[in-house]
Amino acid sequence: MERITLNAEKREIKGKGAARTLRRGGVIPGVVYRKGDSTPIKLNAKELIKFIHSTAGEQVMVNLQFTGGESKLALVKDYQLDPVMGELLHTDFYEVSLTEEIKVTVHVTTKGEPIGVKRDGGILQHGVREIEIQCLPDKIPGHVTVNVSQLEIGKSIHVSDLNLGEGVKILADVDEVIASVITPVTEPVTEEAVAAPEAEVAEPEVIKKGKKEEAAGEKA
């Protein structure tokens, strides 16, 4: 599993006001969680934002390197963005041990164009976008990629079809559908529409008038 080092410092000041002061100084507040304990930290904003943007949707091991030589292995648990400006406000990490299995959620992506779409005009439907797994931290896949190129109309790929390698246990429902190809829905042509009679064309008024005048002339 990929591992990236981020420089961090333990944080003494807490609260919303302190957090705003840190962000104005180019620092992002965060917390490292470990079995019920939590350690407030702070990280360089540019370094952390670059890391989050470059690993969006990926599970990546982080080596939090503290001043003084201490380090912690962790995964990003969550991060908070400003709902209006989109700026990074806070980041939570979960400390891990390379000798202890953990439960994590990984994203599922698909690649390829299904033969049922390319050849037969079917429609690709996506199912679950993420699954929960359990394994040692260094066994966690960044994400799961599923090749759908051989998928025909009426066929599906399920969670049970995944092979994530030795030591990785899938906790998600194995019957969940990841991707399927369905027949496109078309509007049925009804018998009424086929047998509908053509509308009668009304006789122009000028012709009717001409006939009346003609008849009146004969009577005269």
Side-chain angles (χ1 to χ4, degrees):
M1 184 183 187
E2 186 180 359
R3 190 180 302 181
I4 292 178
T5 297
L6 293 176
N7 293 310
E9 294 181 44
K10 291 185 179 180
R11 174 168 52 95
E12 300 299 332
I13 56 174
K14 304 175 185 178
K16 292 183 178 180
R20 285 194 292 268
T21 301
L22 287 174
R23 287 192 289 268
R24 283 196 294 267
V27 177
I28 301 295
V31 175
V32 180
Y33 293 94
R34 172 68 173 170
K35 292 184 176 180
D37 295 328
S38 61
T39 303
I41 64 171
K42 54 186 179 180
L43 305 97
N44 178 274
K46 290 184 178 180
E47 187 177 326
L48 182 58
I49 291 170
K50 180 180 179 181
F51 163 73
I52 289 178
H53 284 174
S54 65
T55 59
E58 298 278 329
Q59 283 285 5
V60 177
M61 189 94 71
V62 179
N63 180 36
L64 295 172
Q65 188 66 52
F66 292 88
T67 304
E70 182 186 0
S71 65
K72 296 178 183 289
L73 285 178
L75 296 172
V76 174
K77 182 179 180 181
D78 196 9
Y79 56 85
Q80 181 185 358
L81 300 175
D82 183 285
V84 178
M85 304 301 292
E87 297 175 347
L88 182 63
L89 301 178
H90 191 277
T91 305
D92 291 338
F93 295 88
Y94 180 78
E95 186 181 355
V96 298
S97 168
L98 293 179
T99 60
E100 297 177 6
E101 290 190 345
I102 59 172
K103 297 177 182 179
V104 294
T105 298
V106 293
H107 288 279
V108 178
T109 62
T110 60
K111 70 172 184 178
E113 183 180 10
I115 190 172
V117 173
K118 180 168 57 177
R119 183 190 66 189
D120 304 321
I123 299 173
L124 175 63
Q125 284 195 330
H126 294 277
V128 294
R129 300 281 188 167
E130 57 184 27
I131 59 172
E132 186 180 22
I133 63 173
Q134 179 175 325
C135 61
L136 293 173
D138 58 354
K139 295 282 187 179
I140 300 172
H143 65 275
V144 177
T145 301
V146 179
N147 190 337
V148 298
S149 59
Q150 298 303 311
L151 207 53
E152 299 179 347
I153 286 181
K155 301 296 184 181
S156 303
I157 297 177
H158 296 80
V159 171
S160 58
D161 298 316
L162 297 177
N163 181 8
L164 303 185
E166 186 178 355
V168 180
K169 181 181 179 181
I170 297 176
L171 303 179
D173 184 351
V174 295
D175 293 326
E176 289 273 17
V177 174
I178 294 174
S180 61
V181 176
I182 64 171
T183 304
V185 178
T186 57
E187 289 290 335
V189 180
T190 63
E191 294 182 3
E192 290 80 2
V194 174
E198 295 184 3
E200 294 183 3
V201 179
E203 187 178 6
E205 183 64 26
V206 293
I207 298 178
K208 291 182 179 180
K209 184 178 180 182
K211 288 185 177 181
K212 289 180 180 180
E213 292 175 349
E214 190 177 298
E218 289 178 357
K219 291 182 179 179

